[in-house]
Amino acid sequence: MDLSALNSFHLDVLKEIGNIGAGNAATALAKLLNKKVDMKVPQIRIMGFSEVNEVLGGAETPVVGILLSVLGDISGYILFVLEQSAANTLVNILMSKKPDEELEYNEITLSALKEVGNILTGSYLSALSALTGLNIKPDVPALAIDMAGAILSVPAIEFGKTTDTVLYIETEFIEGKDRVIGDFFLVPDTESYIRLLDSLGAMS
Amino acid sequence: MTDNIIKVGMADVNFTKHPGVLVTLGLGSCVGIALYDKKMKMIGLAHIMLPWSHQAKNNANRAKFADTGIMLLLEKMSEAGASVNNMVAKLAGGAQMFTFSGSSDMIRIGQRNVEATKAVLQQLNIPVISEDTGGNYGRTIEFFSEDGRLMIKTIGHGIKYI
């Protein structure tokens, strides 16, 4: 089965997976920030590679990307992308500094950002695990601060070995009225999204 | 000027003649292969994701791989009148965006992309006259048909022309 065979029911189930995972992560983020964090309705993006660079408000937008391999019963990647100023605030709060203090990237602040990635992806995946009954665990996080396009291409390249399209379950985090502060991407490989759908009885 | 700018996405190839400009945004581990036929003032750009087509399960999209991507671009440029004998190449990209401590085979994909690209170009006798590859940062490239110069923009690593 390839991506084009997914029907609207399958897509709704995948959206719900994004909803539950990201909902849990948004709660964790709100606790870290001590602020209300909302999320948009998750989107299932099935794209050709030429479109991948255009998501996240443009390929050249500087962002903080935290990438983890997903291990256990499913495999793929989870990518948490933070707007730079949101990353700044998060780190300052974790380091007990003023939220708007300028952030210097060094070993300590970078490892603090990775820890944020750990906490949020951990809560996303544990919700997913509880929902599906599958064993899903995150690997050690890796971090990059660079152009959004260059960061998003990393999971896409993995897809490139087997398919010509890539499936992202994307959920945007919003603070205040409409300010996007982060973006969560679950990128399961082909076998894994079938397994996810199957575990929820959506394949029969 | 903006009418002449053509975007080349991931796993895509394109070419144009003077006064066109070819642009690729946010190259990470992918490699931008820029071919220039001086006589024709024709430029071509391939944005490849993976090194060798025979190593992948699905190689239907030729633009995805260094070997078939270069051939595809050459075919298109030759049809439009360019000649391999007049061509030079410039390369950009092939970075490693993330450093993994695990044993992921994503490690070195950028480097392997660059190696494969050079091997294919050497077989075709197309000289690589300049490159800006490797490192751990993304690149946006603009390729000008006027004189074959390649502009490379980065975040935190400046702008340069090669």
Side-chain angles (χ1 to χ4, degrees), chain B residues 17 20 36-37 107 115 119 123:
Chain B
K17 283 183 191 168
Y36 181 49
D37 181 327
I107 293 170
E115 284 165 5
Q123 268 178 9

Side-chain angles (χ1 to χ4, degrees), chain A residues 49-50 53-54 59-60 62 65 67 77 140 142-144 146-147 149-150 153-154 156-158 160-164, chain B residues 7 10 25-29 49-50 56-58 61 64 97-101 105-106 137-140 153-155:
Chain A
F49 294 122
S50 55
N53 280 7
E54 299 301 325
E60 292 183 285
L67 183 73
Y77 293 93
V140 185
L143 181 126
D146 215 300
M147 299 177 185
S153 73
V154 175
I157 285 175
E158 279 302 292
K161 291 175 187 167
T162 48
T163 69
D164 283 317
Chain B
K7 266 191 198 173
M10 207 186 299
L25 305 175
L27 271 175
S29 312
M49 303 169 72
L50 291 160
K57 283 180 205 150
N58 176 348
N61 180 358
K64 210 156 64 172
M97 299 306 299
F98 291 93
T99 312
F100 288 95
S101 36
D105 65 350
M106 268 160 79
Y137 51 89
R139 295 167 172 92
T140 281
K153 284 194 285 186
T154 63
I155 294 177

Side-chain angles (χ1 to χ4, degrees), chain B residues 6-23:
Chain B
I6 301 170
K7 266 191 198 173
V8 181
M10 207 186 299
D12 192 13
V13 302
N14 215 329
F15 71 95
T16 185
K17 283 183 191 168
H18 186 67
V21 178
L22 295 170
V23 175

Side-chain angles (χ1 to χ4, degrees), chain A residues 133-187:
Chain A
L134 296 169
N135 172 28
I136 306 169
K137 286 195 171 65
D139 202 353
V140 185
L143 181 126
I145 302 161
D146 215 300
M147 299 177 185
I151 284 173
L152 272 168
S153 73
V154 175
I157 285 175
E158 279 302 292
F159 265 73
K161 291 175 187 167
T162 48
T163 69
D164 283 317
T165 44
V166 51
L167 180 135
Y168 291 94
I169 302 172
E170 179 193 12
T171 318
E172 283 180 342
F173 288 170
I174 293 165
E175 185 208 286
K177 269 190 184 158
D178 207 20
R179 205 168 76 89
V180 176
I181 51 170
D183 216 336
F184 233 113
F185 295 89
L186 179 66
V187 195

Side-chain angles (χ1 to χ4, degrees), chain B:
Chain B
M1 264 309 275
T2 49
D3 296 346
N4 303 324
I5 296 175
I6 301 170
K7 266 191 198 173
V8 181
M10 207 186 299
D12 192 13
V13 302
N14 215 329
F15 71 95
T16 185
K17 283 183 191 168
H18 186 67
V21 178
L22 295 170
V23 175
T24 277
L25 305 175
L27 271 175
S29 312
C30 298
V31 174
I33 303 159
L35 299 180
Y36 181 49
D37 181 327
K38 222 180 196 169
K39 270 193 184 162
M40 296 285 295
K41 282 203 175 180
M42 192 194 290
I43 52 172
L45 188 60
H47 181 167
I48 61 103
M49 303 169 72
L50 291 160
W52 301 103
S53 56
H54 59 82
Q55 287 175 355
K57 283 180 205 150
N58 176 348
N59 51 19
N61 180 358
R62 294 173 70 198
K64 210 156 64 172
F65 305 95
D67 53 355
T68 47
I70 291 171
M71 291 314 293
L72 179 65
L73 180 60
L74 272 182
E75 283 166 23
K76 291 189 176 214
M77 290 177 77
S78 302
E79 257 173 53
S83 163
V84 182
N85 300 328
N86 301 328
M87 271 185 204
V88 292
K90 295 181 179 185
L91 309 180
Q96 183 170 337
M97 299 306 299
F98 291 93
T99 312
F100 288 95
S101 36
S103 59
S104 170
D105 65 350
M106 268 160 79
I107 293 170
R108 291 186 59 249
I109 187 75
Q111 197 186 328
R112 288 195 283 131
N113 279 338
V114 174
E115 284 165 5
T117 299
K118 285 182 178 168
V120 174
L121 289 172
Q122 195 179 14
Q123 268 178 9
L124 293 162
N125 278 322
I126 300 175
V128 177
I129 56 169
S130 59
E131 63 176 300
D132 180 41
T133 56
N136 60 355
Y137 51 89
R139 295 167 172 92
T140 281
I141 59 174
E142 290 181 28
F143 193 26
F144 299 91
S145 55
E146 193 184 3
D147 51 5
R149 74 187 188 284
L150 187 67
M151 183 177 78
I152 294 157
K153 284 194 285 186
T154 63
I155 294 177
H157 298 267
I159 296 179
K160 60 174 149 185
Y161 290 88
I162 64 168

Side-chain angles (χ1 to χ4, degrees), chain A residues 2-15:
Chain A
D2 75 21
L3 289 169
S4 57
L6 292 174
N7 61 30
S8 66
F9 173 63
H10 294 141
L11 295 181
D12 282 344
V13 173
L14 291 173
K15 265 185 204 166

